[in-house]
Amino acid sequence: MNRGLFITIEGTDGSGKTTQIRNMMEHMSSLGCKVLLTREPGGTRISESIRSIILDPAYTEMHNVTELLLYSAARAQLVEQVIKPTVAKGQTVICDRYTDSFFAYQGYGRGLDMDMLEKITTTAIDGMMPDITFFFDLDPEIGLKRRMTAAAGDRIENEVMEFHRRVYDGYKELAAKYSDRIKTIDASKPVDEVWKDVRHQLEMVLGFIRQV
Ligand code: TMP
């Protein structure tokens, strides 16, 4: 049986990922693909419990190393329990955030040592790297304004704007470094145009997969 596709979705907070993920799910299902949507941190009972600790705005005292270990623990559980078995069954997995979030937020944002992040990630994901990643490129100031008017912020969203800017610049560096895997989508365009760009990229990948 052929292995399924593993797609990850990335971007700063409020970059419009959710709408586009919904479009992707509908589109792929209409093409007859079996798709499972999950998210990070989260996607399993254990990882969702870890998520509620990580994002709780009351935990302002959380140490950066605690944060990085919690994200990694949630990831290890999701990979083992959901991503690996689903992809092995030949189904597609779409994951809202994954390791690029880790490098962007804990690496560039928090300034933690990249080699250390790399080592922990290697253990947590056990070889499960995405086949393709969509990076929704939107200035964090615009995204957060959008997000914060909708609801109160979580612990990460409540970070200062300089933090979000470092995360954004980090994403841009990652996208340039791994340009074969990471497809940058201009998320400042109107929603319909963003979807056109996403669909184009998605169909290129699906077409490529069908040929092999
Ligand atoms: P979201 O799922 O609503 O986007 O919230 C997840 C938050 O966690 C978001 O602000 C990005 C952040 N995050 C990290 O800091 N590191 C990580 O490894 C992941 C997956 C997310």
Side-chain angles (χ1 to χ4, degrees):
M1 185 189 293
N2 281 342
R3 176 189 172 280
L5 203 57
F6 179 29
I7 302 172
T8 59
I9 312 294
E10 295 285 355
T12 45
D13 295 270
S15 55
K17 293 181 286 117
T18 314
T19 311
Q20 299 304 332
I21 289 172
R22 203 182 312 123
N23 288 340
M24 287 170 79
M25 292 292 295
E26 278 171 16
H27 186 63
M28 290 185 73
S29 303
S30 76
L31 295 175
C33 304
K34 278 206 169 149
V35 197
L36 180 120
L37 173 63
T38 189
R39 67 172 180 181
E40 270 239 82
T44 72
R45 215 155 60 111
I46 296 172
S47 313
E48 287 291 333
S49 294
I50 297 173
R51 176 187 177 95
S52 57
I53 297 173
I54 297 177
L55 297 181
D56 190 335
Y59 293 149
T60 50
E61 74 275 30
M62 192 180 289
H63 181 35
N64 286 344
V65 176
T66 308
E67 181 184 280
L68 104 91
L69 293 171
L70 286 174
Y71 276 115
S72 302
R75 178 164 305 129
Q77 188 66 34
L78 179 70
V79 168
E80 206 49 39
Q81 199 183 326
V82 176
I83 299 176
K84 264 200 219 167
T86 308
V87 165
K89 271 194 292 195
Q91 292 184 12
T92 294
V93 172
I94 297 182
C95 191
D96 182 355
R97 298 193 177 282
Y98 196 57
T99 50
D100 296 300
S101 283
F102 194 53
F103 290 103
Y105 283 80
Q106 279 63 53
Y108 292 94
R110 298 288 189 219
L112 294 170
D113 181 66
M114 288 289 188
D115 290 339
M116 190 243 305
L117 296 192
E118 195 79 55
K119 280 188 193 136
I120 292 176
T121 300
T122 303
T123 304
I125 69 171
D126 195 24
M128 277 311 296
M129 273 306 283
D131 299 297
I132 180 167
T133 299
F134 290 95
F135 162 49
F136 290 92
D137 180 350
L138 183 71
D139 189 294
E141 207 143 340
I142 301 171
L144 275 161
K145 229 178 247 163
R146 222 193 240 175
R147 185 72 166 248
M148 301 300 230
T149 45
D154 62 37
R155 197 178 57 82
I156 305 287
E157 287 167 342
N158 289 344
E159 273 297 333
V160 291
M161 189 45 73
E162 292 88 89
F163 170 82
H164 292 286
R165 200 151 280 292
R166 285 197 300 276
V167 171
Y168 177 65
D169 292 342
Y171 265 130
K172 301 270 248 191
E173 270 192 44
L174 292 169
K177 191 168 168 192
Y178 303 108
S179 57
D180 281 353
R181 172 176 60 86
I182 303 180
K183 308 296 168 201
T184 299
I185 304 289
D186 180 355
S188 68
K189 291 184 186 174
V191 180
D192 288 358
E193 283 181 42
V194 176
W195 169 234
K196 238 190 239 166
D197 293 347
V198 174
R199 197 172 71 183
H200 174 71
Q201 292 287 349
L202 194 60
E203 279 173 359
M204 295 230 297
V205 185
L206 294 175
F208 177 74
I209 299 287
R210 280 191 207 107
Q211 280 165 27
V212 279

